Amino acid sequence: MELQGTVKKIFDIQTFSSGFQKRELVLLTQEQYPQPINIEFLSEKINLLDNISEGDTVKIGINLRGREWTNPQGETRYFNSITGWRLEKIKNPQDEPVVASPEMRQSPAAAPDENPFVDEEDDDLPF
């Protein structure tokens, strides 16, 4: 799956006693009702966030993860997490240089008050 939006917040790297590391990012989706989505980057994937800043527009490849946990009282709970595995920075359209398309380019046509057929030879066609 993929999510696209604006980076709202990037958190610091968390390192646990086991040596496991994770880093979280909050993505604000781009839709009618924007949603702040918390996405985890784990282990070697945390370096994907090195060149990303808050305010950047990004596309993130994600996996949905679910797990079951039973507390000491015997109650079973279920948790979901969103894990990022790919990150692509998207350039904003206003940052792109404008390149003239063929339709936008003006051909070296004659000025409006000049006859465009001056160079054509006369022919004997009836129309």
Side-chain angles (χ1 to χ4, degrees):
M1 294 180 70
E2 287 185 346
L3 290 176
Q4 185 171 325
T6 304
V7 176
K8 183 173 182 172
K9 178 83 176 153
I10 299 175
F11 294 94
D12 292 332
I13 297 171
Q14 298 174 11
T15 304
F16 300 90
S17 58
S18 64
F20 174 75
Q21 292 184 317
K22 78 173 184 176
R23 191 169 185 190
E24 296 176 328
L25 168 144
V26 176
L27 183 76
L28 191 61
T29 61
Q30 297 171 335
E31 51 195 351
Q32 182 177 0
Y33 300 105
Q35 302 293 310
I37 308 291
N38 187 58
I39 302 170
E40 299 176 328
F41 289 82
L42 309 176
S43 301
E44 72 277 352
K45 298 296 182 183
I46 62 174
N47 62 1
L48 294 175
L49 299 175
D50 289 347
N51 297 319
I52 300 298
S53 302
E54 293 177 7
D56 286 347
T57 302
V58 296
K59 185 188 303 184
I60 303 175
I62 62 165
N63 289 325
L64 297 175
R65 305 279 180 179
R67 61 188 173 282
E68 181 179 287
W69 176 70
T70 304
N71 68 16
Q73 292 78 28
E75 300 170 331
T76 302
R77 305 233 12 219
Y78 297 91
F79 297 92
N80 298 317
S81 61
I82 301 172
T83 305
W85 58 272
R86 182 173 45 100
L87 184 89
E88 177 184 344
K89 188 185 247 188
I90 299 174
K91 294 184 180 182
N92 293 327
Q94 59 266 28
D95 294 342
E96 293 291 320
V98 177
V99 178
S101 65
E103 299 85 34
M104 294 173 61
R105 294 185 187 128
Q106 290 187 346
S107 62
D113 56 343
E114 291 182 19
N115 183 354
F117 304 106
V118 169
D119 294 337
E120 291 185 13
E121 295 181 17
D122 288 336
D123 57 31
D124 293 335
L125 295 176
F127 48 89

